[in-house]
Amino acid sequence: MSGQGERPLVTVIVPARDEEADIAGCIDAVAAQDHGADRIQLVVVDADSADRTVADVRRAAARHPFAEVVIDRNPRRRTSVGLNIGLRHARGRYVARIDARSRIPSHYVSTCVAVMDDPRVGVVGGAQVAQPRSERAVDRGIARALRNRWATGLSRYRRATTSGPSDTVWMGFFRTDELRALGGWAEAVALNEDYELNGRYRHRGRIVWFAAELRSGYLPRPSLTLLGRQYFFFGRVKGLWWARGDRPAPRQVALVAAPVAGATVAWQAWRRLGPGSLLVLPAALLGLDAAGGDGPADLRSHLSSAAAIAVLSGAWWIGVLAGAAGEMAHVRHQHA
């Protein structure tokens, strides 16, 4: 623990929008920290939810002895804006960004505080472990796909089992004064705001530290349609920033190139096998599920996972093209 065994006040910021199904479980997990709820300031920033999110926050928070509970609004409904609203309320020495659909382990805060004893570390985060929402095959398949290290971008927080420096981590734990000095989250960034912020830390010579012992649960979108929409937007933001000159990581270059390579293989298979080549893609997706998955599963879970991999990968790739094309068209229009 930091210093002489002290328990510093930690501010937990939870951005939320229409999260009545999951927000109470998130708050209960925050309150269960071995750091002590009495040394946690809970700040929930609601993006004008249309459901009972705020009422559920009040009800859940009232069950626990938090040092302080703050609930504020984010009328602009952008996550980065909401996080900065939360940062303005922060009284803790440290800030933890926690997602409403996450389930952090009980040692999350104390582990992050201990890692922050190293002054070279600017950000700490851990692994995202997707959990099925139910026993439905689609829920099991989506969770399995999101645990697949090959299908989800090879980010360290999705695949690594050992701690070490990383280009980005999920959510993030920061020193409050450093985060404010960096300007907080970039409000121009609609999605992937964590990746952009972690990049600023790295560019200033600070370590973004992946702590393998931090394995937090994550509740995915409940349908393939919503999963595809989520990953399309992820990809579109990536494409936009790359078109503006931001350099992609090698693993991201490989992800963009993979569908092109796959299309080439499919064309060659069609030329040689004819209609039989239509089996190549399903076989490849099932192979990807088996190679990058986390163990055996029943047939329906394998099939659902393969479908989810196809949806999230295809949607992300199309999003990248759409984002890059949109940005280049915008630049051409400005110079016309």
Side-chain angles (χ1 to χ4, degrees):
M1 190 70 68
S2 180
Q4 286 74 43
E6 62 178 315
R7 294 185 299 132
L9 184 66
V10 174
T11 298
V12 170
I13 302 174
V14 183
R17 181 183 178 187
D18 296 335
E19 297 286 2
E20 67 176 2
D22 302 314
I23 192 71
C26 170
I27 291 173
D28 288 345
V30 171
Q33 296 300 294
D34 58 20
H35 185 79
D38 61 320
R39 299 303 295 160
I40 292 176
Q41 177 198 24
L42 176 67
V43 180
V44 178
V45 184
D46 177 69
D48 283 352
S49 293
D51 62 7
R52 294 181 53 82
T53 295
V54 173
D56 286 355
V57 168
R58 297 187 191 280
R59 186 179 302 108
R63 297 196 293 262
H64 307 294
F66 289 114
E68 182 183 15
V69 176
V70 177
I71 302 173
D72 204 344
R73 289 182 60 235
N74 171 19
R76 291 174 59 187
R77 294 187 169 186
R78 181 166 286 189
T79 301
S80 52
V81 174
L83 289 166
N84 284 335
I85 291 172
L87 182 59
R88 290 200 290 271
H89 288 287
R91 296 192 298 107
R93 184 189 306 175
Y94 302 103
V95 164
R97 179 253 171 95
I98 302 297
D99 287 352
R101 286 182 287 115
S102 70
R103 298 293 184 266
I104 59 174
S106 61
H107 62 282
Y108 188 95
V109 168
S110 60
T111 298
C112 290
V113 169
V115 173
M116 281 293 188
D117 277 343
D118 186 340
R120 299 171 300 171
V121 174
V123 187
V124 186
Q128 181 191 93
V129 185
Q131 300 174 342
R133 288 181 167 275
S134 73
E135 287 304 307
R136 293 191 310 154
V138 66
D139 286 332
R140 297 199 309 269
I142 289 173
R144 181 177 173 85
L146 291 175
R147 295 194 301 268
N148 189 302
R149 61 184 180 274
W150 299 108
T152 51
L154 293 174
S155 295
R156 185 162 193 155
Y157 72 83
R158 295 185 187 272
R159 62 179 172 83
T161 56
T162 57
S163 300
S166 179
D167 59 345
T168 190
V169 289
W170 184 40
M171 298 194 294
F173 190 94
F174 315 85
R175 296 179 185 87
T176 305
D177 56 352
E178 290 179 349
L179 182 56
R180 284 177 172 150
L182 274 173
W185 288 267
E187 297 188 359
V189 178
L191 289 170
N192 293 310
E193 65 280 341
D194 291 331
Y195 186 87
E196 189 279 336
L197 176 58
N198 290 332
R200 276 186 278 144
Y201 270 93
R202 289 187 287 104
H203 292 156
R204 286 161 176 77
R206 308 309 299 278
I207 296 173
V208 177
W209 187 260
F210 171 78
E213 63 269 36
L214 297 179
R215 295 178 58 80
S216 298
Y218 168 73
L219 297 174
R221 298 293 194 273
S223 71
L224 292 177
T225 299
L226 293 174
L227 181 71
R229 184 180 303 170
Q230 177 188 21
Y231 273 80
F232 172 82
F233 287 128
F234 284 165
R236 190 172 70 175
V237 171
K238 289 292 187 186
L240 184 151
W241 282 101
W242 292 341
R244 290 179 179 177
D246 191 30
R247 180 178 297 179
R251 61 181 175 82
Q252 293 168 328
V253 174
L255 287 172
V256 173
V260 178
T264 302
V265 171
W267 170 245
Q268 293 298 324
W270 177 266
R271 292 179 62 188
R272 296 188 180 190
L273 302 175
S277 64
L278 296 177
L279 297 175
V280 171
L281 179 58
L285 290 170
L286 286 169
L288 184 59
D289 170 68
D294 52 359
D298 61 87
L299 178 60
R300 293 182 66 190
S301 294
H302 279 298
L303 293 172
S304 296
S305 177
I309 289 171
V311 168
L312 69 88
S313 301
W316 182 86
W317 192 76
I318 293 170
V320 167
L321 296 183
E327 177 62 16
M328 289 187 288
H330 177 69
V331 170
R332 284 196 301 269
H333 177 75
Q334 285 187 320
H335 290 84

